[in-house]
């Protein structure tokens, strides 16, 4: 069961279906392109967010960096930045392996389809032209035979006519004879045209058109297979970066587990302890003694 | 090594550091909130894209649906819609388990910190007040002792004075005696204040303030641990939906492998074949015969 045999009279259907098929590819390419734009936008926003909360270059020596709770936040931001890079990769790969590739393939298919449809049209026109010739020769045959009949009848009538001369009879008989000959030639010509047409018609319906329709079927099936690959690539592109995304997420988890609150408390001590001893008791300032000494001096 | 002993004189440092620590939590919550907004936006765009390319409800009976290349595109769109749902889930879970939870915890810590700092201030003020009392009594002791000395000197001088009456001498001696008694009382009072102050000072530096600073250290360490959990949750939330996202991607791959180009070609045949036979040879229309019959009739 193929288009060549089953859809021999469905040129319009095949033309329309193959057109729809190519439009579906275009639609899919357009869809994927929009998806890549969404993905790029998402990645850009994540990158910007990471930059927004990260340290400015000048402040990388800030003492906060010695605290694991702060350093791990920076590590998390860096992992998220890498994560954004992977999303960009998804977008770029989708664009390359689906949009650009399918668009190129689409152009080739469009060209190929156009060629086949033109072949079909050409064969159609050729058959129609041969048919016109046939019809024309058939009508001529019909006309000439009527003329021959009429001429024969006139010759008969003249022959029977008591008032007609022998010359008249002779002329009429010659005319009838000539007409019969012409009619015979037209009949033979028509027969030949008929044979020619039937041969071409048979060739057209049982050979040429089935071939073209089957080529269109093959084109359409290739189109479908390529589209299916495109669908698979849609998920493959993301699956491909999953391991690295997994690493980013692991990195974030690691940043969390790296946090050490005891260490951070020690850093505060290191950074800020004065080393001084705590104050001891205040002494008793005995003015009575001081004054006694003074009075013993005077 | 703890803040109580090592940073006994670093109230400002501890106040500042614990404040910074809470601000870091606020900063992280703000960051995560912005991340969830980016994620929600991404999910919404994907959902809209899926809707845009999907079938309108009214056209679900369209004949295109019978073609696997078309149906698989619809399956892909549905999987992408589910994928978007998972991204929304990431955003919602991050909001709940990080933003809302940490914000609540933050409020509690802020309140707790405020309480400790007020305790410290109160203890400080109390010690200062006791010191003022001590200083006051010390100055009074000094003053009174000078007065006593002066009165003693005057009594001595009056006793030696040839022109002084016994009454004068008696009066001067009584005055000196009284002043000496008052001075003694002041000395005792100062000694008692000193003992009180030293006791309170010791309590302050070796007991009360270390306790408060250690409570602040514990608060800060709890803050750090909670923040670390927050970092881990950032990746856990996404890791949690990875299996389902994986299923969406598998669904898309399946949509691709479901495509069957041969079947689709057969569908075109089913939908459109006329069932008619291809035309056979045209017959020879023999006018010569027709006319002969006609003439035999007439």
């Amino acid at each position: 069961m193929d288009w060549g045999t089953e859809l021999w009279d469905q040129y319009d259907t095949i033309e329309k279906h193959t057109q729809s098929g190519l439009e579906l590819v275009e639609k899919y390419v357009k869809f994927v392109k929009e998806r890549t734009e969404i993905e790029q936008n998402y990645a850009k926003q994540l990158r910007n967010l990471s930059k927004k909360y990260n340290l400015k270059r000048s402040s990388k020596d800030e003492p906060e960096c010695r605290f694991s709770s702060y350093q791990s936040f920076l590590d998390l931001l860096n992992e998220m930045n890498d994560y954004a890079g992977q999303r960009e990769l998804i977008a770029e790969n989708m664009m390359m392996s689906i949009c650009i590739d399918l668009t190129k393939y689409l152009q080739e298919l469009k060209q190929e389809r156009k060629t086949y449809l033109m072949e079909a049209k050409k064969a159609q026109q050729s058959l129609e032209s041969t048919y016109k010739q046939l019809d024309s020769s058939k009508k001529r045959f019909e006309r000439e035979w009527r003329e021959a009949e009429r001429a024969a009848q006139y010759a008969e009538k003249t022959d029977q006519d008591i008032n007609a001369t022998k010359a008249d009879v002779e002329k009429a008989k010659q005319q009838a004879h000539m007409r019969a000959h012409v009619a015979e030639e037209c009949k033979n010509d028509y027969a030949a045209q008929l044979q020619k047409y039937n041969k071409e018609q048979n060739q057209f319906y049982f050979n040429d058109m089935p071939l073209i329709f089957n080529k269109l079927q093959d084109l359409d099936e290739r189109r479908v297979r390529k589209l299916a690959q495109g669908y698979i690539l849609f998920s493959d592109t993301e699956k491909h970066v999953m391991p690295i995304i997994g690493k980013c997420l692991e990195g974030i988890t690691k940043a969390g587990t790296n946090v050490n609150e005891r260490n951070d408390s020690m850093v505060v001590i290191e950074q800020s302890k004065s080393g001084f001893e705590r104050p001891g008791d205040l002494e008793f300032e005995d003015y009575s003694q001081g004054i006694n000494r003074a009075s013993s001096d005077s």
Side-chain angles (χ1 to χ4, degrees), chain A:
Chain A
M1 282 236 286
D2 54 34
W3 290 4
T5 45
E6 304 298 319
L7 298 178
W8 64 269
D9 55 344
Q10 298 298 323
Y11 174 86
D12 287 345
T13 295
I14 289 174
E15 183 191 35
K16 205 172 116 194
H17 174 81
T18 49
Q19 176 61 25
S20 291
L22 297 175
E23 282 169 3
L24 179 59
V25 177
E26 259 173 345
K27 187 175 176 180
Y28 180 63
V29 167
K30 195 159 166 278
F31 157 78
V32 175
K33 184 167 180 291
E34 287 185 52
R35 163 58 196 272
T36 67
E37 285 164 4
I38 291 171
E39 203 66 40
Q40 289 283 21
N41 184 40
Y42 173 61
K44 190 171 96 165
Q45 288 184 307
L46 289 178
R47 280 205 191 273
N48 287 348
L49 185 66
S50 171
K51 204 188 295 187
K52 178 178 175 181
Y53 282 85
N54 216 323
L55 283 181
K56 311 282 174 283
R57 284 193 179 276
S58 56
S59 44
K60 285 222 187 288
D61 299 326
E62 267 188 50
E64 269 116 342
C65 292
R66 291 196 57 203
F67 295 112
S68 65
S69 67
Y70 194 79
Q71 185 57 50
S72 284
F73 182 41
L74 300 182
D75 294 343
L76 187 152
L77 292 173
N78 288 336
E79 291 292 351
M80 193 177 77
N81 197 48
D82 289 348
Y83 178 93
Q86 293 305 306
R87 305 310 303 191
E88 275 164 10
L89 208 62
I90 290 173
E92 286 160 15
N93 289 347
M94 276 187 179
M95 186 57 99
M96 282 302 295
S97 73
I98 301 178
C99 301
I100 291 175
D101 187 59
L102 272 181
T103 299
K104 183 166 165 287
Y105 194 79
L106 188 66
Q107 292 321 312
E108 290 168 8
L109 288 189
K110 274 185 176 173
Q111 215 42 49
E112 203 185 326
R113 175 177 171 276
K114 197 169 164 185
T115 305
Y116 298 153
L117 293 180
M118 272 168 68
E119 278 178 35
K121 274 284 166 233
K122 202 163 149 216
Q124 187 118 26
Q125 280 161 2
S126 173
L127 187 69
E128 275 167 19
S129 166
T130 307
Y131 181 80
K132 279 199 179 82
Q133 283 177 13
L134 169 67
D135 199 51
S136 168
S137 85
K138 185 181 79 166
K139 285 186 163 64
R140 191 154 161 260
F141 163 51
E142 187 186 11
R143 254 191 342 264
E144 291 303 325
W145 200 270
R146 271 197 240 276
E147 285 293 329
E149 239 291 313
R150 241 198 320 265
Q153 281 172 353
Y154 184 71
E156 176 84 22
K157 182 170 161 229
T158 308
D159 198 37
Q160 303 283 347
D161 190 4
I162 47 174
N163 295 319
T165 65
K166 216 186 241 93
D168 292 330
V169 171
E170 194 56 43
K171 187 176 169 195
K173 279 188 172 157
Q174 273 181 357
Q175 186 72 3
H177 191 72
M178 188 198 78
R179 282 289 184 199
H181 180 71
V182 167
E184 195 64 32
E185 276 185 350
C186 285
K187 181 177 178 177
N188 291 337
D189 182 56
Y190 165 56
Q193 288 291 341
L194 183 66
Q195 198 177 38
K196 178 185 174 195
Y197 174 79
N198 280 334
K199 186 175 174 196
E200 205 176 304
Q201 185 189 247
N202 188 277
Q203 179 78 5
F204 180 84
Y205 284 115
F206 286 85
N207 207 16
D208 300 343
M209 288 307 280
L211 204 71
I212 292 170
F213 282 3
N214 285 344
K215 282 197 278 190
L216 284 161
Q217 177 179 351
D218 176 67
L219 183 148
D220 196 60
E221 287 177 10
R222 274 181 284 131
R223 186 267 305 172
V224 169
R225 269 201 306 279
K226 188 73 178 177
L227 194 49
Q229 284 169 26
Y231 297 159
I232 291 170
L233 274 166
F234 193 78
S235 78
D236 272 4
T237 312
E238 183 151 355
K239 281 194 213 172
H240 180 69
V241 306
M242 289 291 238
I244 313 190
I245 280 179
K247 279 199 165 65
C248 292
L249 296 180
E250 280 311 315
I252 292 171
T253 301
K254 189 91 180 64
T257 57
N258 275 349
V259 170
N260 189 324
E261 64 271 16
R262 285 300 295 165
N263 268 12
D264 285 3
S265 292
M266 294 306 113
V267 168
V268 182
I269 291 173
E270 279 171 47
Q271 283 183 346
S272 307
K273 72 182 269 191
S274 63
F276 295 139
E277 290 293 323
R278 274 169 283 194
D281 287 351
L282 291 179
E283 295 281 327
F284 184 87
E285 292 175 67
D286 199 349
Y287 294 109
S288 53
Q289 297 301 319
I291 285 164
N292 282 348
R293 282 202 307 275
S295 56
S296 63
D297 290 345
S298 62

